[in-house]
Amino acid sequence: LKILKNKIYAKPLGKALYLLIKSRLEPLLSADMIVPVPNHIDDPNRDVKAVALAEELADQFNSDNKNIEIQHAIRKVINISTHGLSRDQKETVVENGMFEFDDKKSIKDKKIILVDDVLTNGIIKGKCASILRENGAQKIWGLVAGRNFTVPIF
């Protein structure tokens, strides 16, 4: 039920993001591909969250005659949840090989929209963008559906 619910939410979010791109983020219309921030292969929700959002966004591009492909160019190879970790702990985990580029994919000279469902502090998106850049991406835009942050209480 949770997976179905997440996919149902991806449809209106993908449509809304596409309308935002068309009205305020027009340079993103020139993107060649969409790359979702991955979940680990053992995550039961790996095909929802960023992946479902990326699929819906691609459908919106393609229904508007703007050919764009989804490329699963990054893999999460260490199955550790970063929720609840301090910023330093999260940076250590992410920088020590949590993600890798899929060498079977070609992104050379491509303009990429890196899609995720939520942004907490940018560590994961930053690492994924670095991996894409190191493997030949020409331009990378980060696009997220929501922002999650904690406000300190004094």
Side-chain angles (χ1 to χ4, degrees):
L1 183 61
K2 184 177 180 180
I3 291 172
L4 178 61
K5 196 182 282 189
N6 283 337
K7 287 193 176 218
I8 290 170
Y9 288 127
K11 193 166 210 56
L13 281 173
K15 286 181 180 181
L17 285 173
Y18 186 67
L19 290 173
L20 178 66
I21 289 169
K22 285 180 67 171
S23 66
R24 293 188 163 180
L25 304 170
E26 289 182 30
L28 277 71
L29 293 171
S30 69
D32 301 304
M33 67 177 54
I34 297 171
V35 174
V37 172
N39 289 320
H40 192 270
I41 192 73
D42 293 334
D43 184 340
N45 293 313
R46 71 179 177 272
D47 292 331
V48 296
K49 302 177 186 174
V51 172
L53 191 56
E55 288 170 353
E56 183 56 41
L57 189 59
D59 287 349
Q60 293 298 311
F61 268 84
N62 294 329
S63 70
D64 206 10
N65 295 319
K66 297 182 185 340
N67 293 332
I68 195 163
E69 63 177 309
I70 295 178
Q71 193 69 267
H72 297 275
I74 302 170
R75 293 186 299 239
K76 184 175 181 184
V77 294
I78 297 175
N79 193 16
I80 298 174
S81 174
T82 58
H83 296 291
L85 297 181
S86 71
R87 181 175 182 83
D88 288 342
Q89 291 170 324
K90 192 172 193 175
E91 282 179 355
T92 299
V93 169
V94 171
E95 287 299 323
N96 287 319
M98 178 178 270
F99 298 98
E100 67 181 27
F101 184 74
D102 183 346
D103 291 330
K104 297 175 189 153
K105 309 297 182 187
S106 176
I107 62 166
K108 187 162 176 51
D109 298 324
K110 300 293 185 183
K111 294 178 276 182
I112 297 171
I113 301 174
L114 179 63
V115 173
D116 205 357
D117 56 331
V118 67
L119 174 71
T120 303
N121 55 25
I123 294 169
I124 289 174
K125 261 61 82 198
K127 182 62 178 177
C128 290
S130 293
I131 289 169
L132 294 171
R133 175 75 67 204
E134 290 165 7
N135 286 279
Q138 178 188 82
K139 187 166 202 80
I140 304 154
W141 294 282
L143 185 66
V144 296
R147 171 82 166 101
N148 183 14
F149 59 92
T150 305
V151 177
I153 300 173
F154 298 96

